[in-house]
Amino acid sequence: MGANYELEREVRETNRLLRKLISIARGFEHQTESVGVRFTGASTMNNLTLAVGQSSIGTISPLEADGLTTTPGAVVSAQSFSISDPSLTSVTNSDGTVTITGVTPSTAPVTGTVSATVTDPDNTVNTFTQTITVTVTGAPTGRTASIGVDFSAPTPPASSAKAKKNSSSTIDG
């Protein structure tokens, strides 16, 4: 009975340790491995193509090891965007996003960098940097590029018409 009891005690202790390891591991189940920028209207992350006059908002997303899945519960802070070219404007918004607007067609894709600090649910804190690419094309088709004003034919001034009427009544009188 002593050997059996000792074995049962060891199994219970092993199971307790395994449960503890599993609970610890669950806290590390979702770890951020990189960041990406999701642009409104863009189909691929970190790449944006705009026509002159168009704008897009970029949001930094914490990503798991597959580079596609957003890390659940991760908090992004200290976002920084660095991209500069005469073909676009870049404005960092108060909520940590960036608004990029096409100004003139770019001669080649424009690269920039973003960085952010990510705090995962287990309170692990890391800083990540990512390269982004923006291309600005010509003016979008089917959109207003400028305005014009059409004027009607000029009409004679009102005082000129009244003077003619007065002069004809004076002759008849």
Side-chain angles (χ1 to χ4, degrees):
M1 178 167 158
N4 229 4
Y5 173 77
E6 194 62 33
L7 181 62
E8 285 179 28
R9 190 180 67 74
E10 285 182 29
V11 167
R12 279 194 307 273
E13 178 65 13
T14 302
N15 284 339
R16 184 187 70 77
L17 289 173
L18 282 173
R19 283 191 302 276
K20 186 174 182 177
L21 285 172
I22 288 170
S23 70
I24 291 170
R26 284 194 176 137
F28 296 99
E29 187 175 342
H30 298 287
Q31 289 291 300
T32 300
E33 296 292 328
S34 66
V35 293
V37 179
R38 298 181 194 273
F39 289 102
T40 54
S43 58
T44 58
M45 199 172 305
N46 305 321
N47 295 301
L48 174 64
T49 299
L50 288 174
V52 171
Q54 290 181 324
S55 294
S56 179
I57 297 175
T59 304
I60 296 177
S61 298
L63 302 173
E64 292 185 352
D66 66 3
L68 300 172
T69 306
T70 300
T71 309
V75 177
V76 179
S77 61
Q79 301 94 324
S80 172
F81 298 86
S82 176
I83 187 165
S84 179
D85 191 81
S87 66
L88 56 87
T89 61
S90 170
V91 177
T92 302
N93 304 312
S94 61
D95 63 356
T97 61
V98 65
T99 300
I100 296 180
T101 303
V103 176
T104 185
S106 53
T107 56
V110 179
T111 58
T113 57
V114 300
S115 64
T117 300
V118 177
T119 305
D120 282 329
D122 66 351
N123 290 322
T124 301
V125 178
N126 288 299
T127 300
F128 298 96
T129 301
Q130 177 65 42
T131 300
I132 60 172
T133 304
V134 178
T135 303
V136 181
T137 63
T141 58
R143 300 201 53 183
T144 303
S146 65
I147 62 170
V149 178
D150 287 328
F151 292 100
S152 62
T155 58
S159 61
S160 170
K162 192 174 186 180
K164 253 187 183 176
K165 186 176 182 185
N166 287 343
S167 65
S168 64
S169 62
T170 319
I171 297 173
D172 291 337

